[in-house]
Amino acid sequence: MRFTSETLSDGVRERLFTLGEIPGVLWTPEGAAGTRPLIVMGHGGGQHKKAPGVVVRARRFVTECAFAVAAVDVPGHGDRPKDEEYDRIATEIRARVDAGEDPAPLIAVFQALVARQTVPEWRAVLDAVQDLEYVGAGPVGYWGVSLGCGLGVPFVAAEPRVRAAVLGLGGATASAEAATRVTVPVEFLLQWDDERVPRAQGLALFDAFASAEKTLHANPGRHGEIPAYELDSTLRFFARHLGCTG
Amino acid sequence: MRFTSETLSDGVRERLFTLGEIPGVLWTPEGAAGTRPLIVMGHGGGQHKKAPGVVVRARRFVTECAFAVAAVDVPGHGDRPKDEEYDRIATEIRARVDAGEDPAPLIAVFQALVARQTVPEWRAVLDAVQDLEYVGAGPVGYWGVSLGCGLGVPFVAAEPRVRAAVLGLGGATASAEAATRVTVPVEFLLQWDDERVPRAQGLALFDAFASAEKTLHANPGRHGEIPAYELDSTLRFFARHLGCTG
């Protein structure tokens, strides 16, 4: 793990790093020392590790609960080289949407392919970040919607250190099988008028989680319009399951 | 409005009253003076104004947000005389459930019949309670699930003083028509394994509300098993829309 830059602002320390070929970012409270909960965040399709939706949440996790937060670029995104195979499939998904066809089966194939790479990558990042004295081996949470849900469900299913997950904007075709292996508490965000994930697909994915505690939060609006009050709820969900020392 | 008893415990003043033939209860903070938000609560079928699920919520509304809270017995419930017509329909509903038939159409008839009585009753209670100096004409919220949803939806639709409502455990057959006239923010509670309200009925009722802000919270479990953390969410929902001075 190699740190390449560091900035401080409003009580949050941000360190960019690379782990092998994986570019990442770690946010922690200024002056943090000792073990704390860690949130791993997965960004959306076409976004990157410092997309605004990731950063705004990460900063609140740090400032309000003193969590550490890590995010990395998904292959083909952010500071990573383009991947021709991924690009070809992404182009084909857009073509199917434009043609009025159901893109869900191809999205499922795509996300399963990428997850075969991201699950071990994210586990390696978890190992490296938890080795830092000011992060340590505390409880881990996962946050990710849309592509961050499609890649997050197999990650949460595979990684026993994850104790709670906020997921959403994903569908059953892509993720129901892995969801049956998720047993930790889940808060699942569904947009009632999602133009990309049919409502029944989202409801069926919520249904598929094996978790004894799972809660569905559905709100009116399109794919990108999760209301601001859900971030308050996300914070309380992680605070309840991981402990909040902010 | 005639007050018949008063008790004080742990900072909460509880006054029993009758308004005409309606027995009610009013909870306010000990020593309250001046205008404050008021929550009207509707109890479930077979319950009454001081059912445990009502009291535990009312006390938290009072102690954490300094709200006033009023609940009254629905006709045929609590301290009110039995109503032969209501009893006959309730018996028929149980018979249909036992016979494996869909009780939803008869429940809809029953709740519409009772609501013709409770909507004007609750509005009269609102008038009387808001006349008290230590309640006043502040913003009003409504809380009610199950029968409290079936009677609450037409009340919220009819009463412009209500600014926000927590509803749930109800279905579209009984309440969708009135729900199309509800425009205030709604938090809707749905039990994913509700043995009394089919999941599709609950989802269709959430869909029917005309509110620009509405949020569905669905959790695993049966009709009576709303998880405790939803009360925390209810408090924050009312605090956001009515103001919390606790």
Side-chain angles (χ1 to χ4, degrees):
Chain A
M1 191 178 209
R2 194 167 62 86
F3 287 100
T4 55
S5 83
E6 172 165 341
T7 56
L8 263 179
S9 76
D10 297 326
V12 181
R13 182 188 191 196
E14 176 184 295
R15 301 185 80 185
L16 294 176
F17 65 83
T18 55
L19 181 72
E21 296 179 352
I22 313 164
V25 54
L26 173 66
W27 293 279
T28 49
E30 182 176 353
T35 300
R36 67 199 58 254
L38 168 66
I39 311 291
V40 176
M41 297 186 71
H43 64 73
Q47 299 186 357
H48 57 84
K49 62 185 176 304
K50 285 188 65 180
V54 173
V55 174
V56 71
R57 288 171 176 84
R59 294 191 67 90
R60 289 196 57 192
F61 297 157
V62 170
T63 56
E64 296 184 33
C65 279
F67 293 159
V69 183
V72 301
D73 289 327
V74 170
H77 290 72
D79 297 326
R80 300 185 76 155
K82 287 206 175 298
D83 182 299
E84 286 193 11
E85 185 178 9
Y86 295 162
D87 273 4
R88 199 162 45 236
I89 301 175
T91 302
E92 174 63 21
I93 289 171
R94 279 191 295 273
R96 291 202 186 177
V97 170
D98 292 343
E101 294 169 29
D102 178 11
L106 191 57
I107 290 173
V109 168
F110 174 68
Q111 291 185 350
L113 188 70
V114 180
R116 278 215 298 272
Q117 187 171 353
T118 53
V119 169
E121 283 187 358
W122 294 1
R123 300 186 77 173
V125 169
L126 201 44
D127 292 341
V129 170
Q130 286 200 324
D131 259 355
L132 299 166
E133 183 280 331
Y134 59 97
V135 178
V140 176
Y142 178 80
W143 184 95
V145 298
S146 198
L147 177 63
C149 177
L151 302 179
V153 173
F155 172 65
V156 174
E159 178 47 70
R161 284 173 288 188
V162 175
R163 306 267 192 89
V166 175
L167 298 158
L169 310 184
T173 302
S175 302
E177 189 278 322
T180 63
R181 289 178 279 114
V182 170
T183 56
V184 297
V186 168
E187 188 159 279
F188 188 81
L189 302 175
L190 184 149
Q191 288 297 96
W192 202 242
D193 312 295
D194 195 316
E195 75 282 11
R196 291 208 233 162
V197 183
R199 192 183 295 168
Q201 277 275 320
L203 292 171
L205 177 51
F206 173 70
D207 195 46
F209 288 104
S211 314
E213 180 181 332
K214 56 181 179 180
T215 189
L216 168 70
H217 287 192
N219 296 285
R222 291 162 61 89
H223 192 76
E225 297 176 343
I226 294 175
Y229 55 75
E230 287 296 348
L231 175 48
D232 299 328
S233 180
T234 291
L235 264 161
R236 289 186 297 264
F237 174 80
F238 282 137
R240 195 160 76 237
H241 293 291
L242 308 178
C244 179
T245 58
Chain B
M1 191 180 209
R2 196 166 61 84
F3 286 101
T4 56
S5 84
E6 173 165 340
T7 55
L8 262 180
S9 76
D10 297 327
V12 180
R13 183 188 190 195
E14 176 183 298
R15 301 185 80 186
L16 295 176
F17 65 83
T18 54
L19 181 73
E21 296 178 350
I22 313 163
V25 55
L26 175 65
W27 293 278
T28 50
E30 182 176 353
T35 300
R36 67 198 57 253
L38 167 65
I39 311 290
V40 176
M41 296 186 71
H43 63 73
Q47 301 187 355
H48 58 83
K49 63 187 175 303
K50 285 187 64 179
V54 174
V55 173
V56 71
R57 287 171 177 83
R59 295 191 68 92
R60 287 196 58 191
F61 296 157
V62 171
T63 56
E64 295 184 33
C65 278
F67 293 159
V69 183
V72 302
D73 288 327
V74 170
H77 290 72
D79 297 327
R80 301 186 75 155
K82 287 207 175 297
D83 182 298
E84 286 192 10
E85 186 178 8
Y86 294 163
D87 273 3
R88 201 163 42 238
I89 302 175
T91 303
E92 174 63 20
I93 289 171
R94 278 191 297 273
R96 291 201 187 178
V97 171
D98 291 344
E101 294 169 29
D102 179 12
L106 192 56
I107 290 173
V109 169
F110 174 69
Q111 291 185 351
L113 188 71
V114 180
R116 278 215 298 272
Q117 188 172 352
T118 52
V119 169
E121 283 188 357
W122 295 0
R123 300 185 76 173
V125 168
L126 201 45
D127 292 341
V129 169
Q130 287 200 322
D131 259 357
L132 300 166
E133 183 279 330
Y134 60 97
V135 179
V140 175
Y142 177 80
W143 184 96
V145 298
S146 197
L147 177 63
C149 177
L151 302 178
V153 173
F155 172 67
V156 174
E159 177 48 69
R161 285 173 287 187
V162 175
R163 306 268 191 87
V166 175
L167 299 158
L169 311 184
T173 303
S175 303
E177 189 278 321
T180 63
R181 289 178 280 114
V182 170
T183 57
V184 297
V186 168
E187 188 159 279
F188 189 80
L189 302 175
L190 184 149
Q191 288 295 97
W192 202 243
D193 311 296
D194 196 316
E195 74 282 11
R196 292 208 232 161
V197 183
R199 190 182 296 167
Q201 276 275 320
L203 292 171
L205 177 51
F206 172 70
D207 195 45
F209 288 104
S211 313
E213 181 182 330
K214 57 182 178 179
T215 188
L216 168 70
H217 286 191
N219 295 286
R222 289 161 62 88
H223 192 75
E225 297 176 342
I226 294 174
Y229 55 74
E230 287 296 347
L231 175 48
D232 300 327
S233 179
T234 290
L235 263 162
R236 288 186 298 263
F237 175 80
F238 282 137
R240 196 161 76 235
H241 293 291
L242 309 177
C244 179
T245 58

